[in-house]
Amino acid sequence: MSTGDNKTVEQDIDTTYAADNEATTDEAGVEVSEEATVSSELEQARVQAEENYQRLLRVQADFDNFRRRARAEKEDFAKYASLKLIEQLLPIVDNFDRALSSSKETKDFDALVKGLDMTYRGIDQLLTAEGLKPIEAVGQPFNPEFHQAVMQVESEEHEEGIVVEELQKGYILKDKVIRPAMVKVSV
C-alpha cells in the first residue's frame, strides 16, 4: 500500500468514525427523549395504579357494607319470619280464650264444645291457606316417605303392606313432608 492509499484509508476511517459519533450522539439524543417518554409513561402508570388502588379500596368497603346490611336483613327476616302466621293466629286464640272463659262462667259444656269446634275449624282453615295438608293414610299402600310404621298387624280385610290404622296424623307443607303419619300396617 502506498502512503497516499494509507491517507485515503485513514480519511475514510476518520469520516466513518465521525459519522458514527454523530449517529451515537443522535441516538443518545433520541434515547434521552425516549427516557423522558418512558419516564412520563411510568409516571402515568403510577398515577393510574394509585387511582385503581383507591377504587379497589372503595369497592371493598362498599362490599363489606353490603355484606353487613344483607346479614342484618337476614337476621331480621329470621327473627320475624313467623309474624304473618302469628297475626293470623291471634283472632283464633282470642276465640279460643272467649270459649274457655264463657264455659267457665256458665258451666255450659255444649257451648264449650261449639267454641272448640269453631276454633279448630279456624286453625284448620288458616293452616290449609298456608299450604298444610294432612297425609291420607288409612287404606293406602305403605309408603315410607309419608308413613312411619310403628306396628304390624295381621288383617284379613287388607292386603299385605296396606295402612290399617292411623295413630297420629301426618302433614305435608306445600310439597315437603313435615311429619309422617304414624300408622299400623297389615302383614
Side-chain angles (χ1 to χ4, degrees):
M1 249 196 194
S2 70
T3 322
D5 287 339
N6 279 341
K7 284 184 181 179
T8 309
V9 170
E10 285 178 10
Q11 287 174 347
D12 286 341
I13 291 174
D14 287 343
T15 306
T16 304
Y17 181 73
D20 285 345
N21 281 343
E22 287 176 14
T24 306
T25 305
D26 286 346
E27 286 176 9
V30 170
E31 285 180 21
V32 168
S33 66
E34 282 181 16
E35 285 180 15
T37 304
V38 169
S39 176
S40 173
E41 288 175 0
L42 183 60
E43 187 58 34
Q44 288 175 350
R46 284 185 182 135
V47 168
Q48 184 68 35
E50 181 62 27
E51 289 174 5
N52 289 340
Y53 179 70
Q54 293 301 321
R55 190 176 305 134
L56 171 70
L57 291 177
R58 284 191 299 276
V59 168
Q60 282 179 330
D62 288 344
F63 182 69
D64 288 342
N65 291 337
F66 166 76
R67 196 170 42 213
R68 267 188 243 112
R69 270 194 316 273
R71 187 176 348 160
E73 288 172 3
K74 185 178 178 182
E75 288 171 359
D76 279 352
F77 178 76
K79 188 175 181 180
Y80 298 109
S82 59
L83 180 67
K84 179 183 160 204
L85 182 63
I86 297 294
E87 287 175 343
Q88 293 173 339
L89 278 172
L90 287 176
I92 296 169
V93 170
D94 292 341
N95 288 339
F96 187 67
D97 188 38
R98 280 192 285 274
L100 287 174
S101 296
S102 174
S103 67
K104 285 180 183 177
E105 292 172 7
T106 62
K107 303 288 188 204
D108 184 2
F109 293 110
D110 290 333
L112 175 64
V113 169
K114 185 177 179 183
L116 288 175
D117 184 51
M118 288 174 45
T119 303
Y120 175 77
R121 280 187 279 137
I123 290 173
D124 188 48
Q125 288 173 352
L126 173 64
L127 293 176
T128 300
E130 289 295 317
L132 187 73
K133 296 181 284 189
I135 295 174
E136 297 296 327
V138 177
Q140 301 293 318
F142 175 75
N143 183 343
E145 292 179 12
F146 300 109
H147 308 123
Q148 177 182 1
V150 292
M151 296 178 73
Q152 291 183 334
V153 293
E154 291 186 22
S155 174
E156 295 176 6
E157 298 174 14
H158 301 291
E159 298 176 12
E160 184 177 331
I162 301 295
V163 175
V164 177
E165 185 180 343
E166 182 178 61
L167 302 173
Q168 183 181 44
K169 276 192 173 288
Y171 293 95
I172 297 174
L173 180 61
K174 303 200 179 305
D175 294 329
K176 182 178 181 180
V177 175
I178 59 171
R179 183 173 81 187
M182 197 177 297
V183 297
K184 290 182 184 179
V185 181
S186 63
V187 286

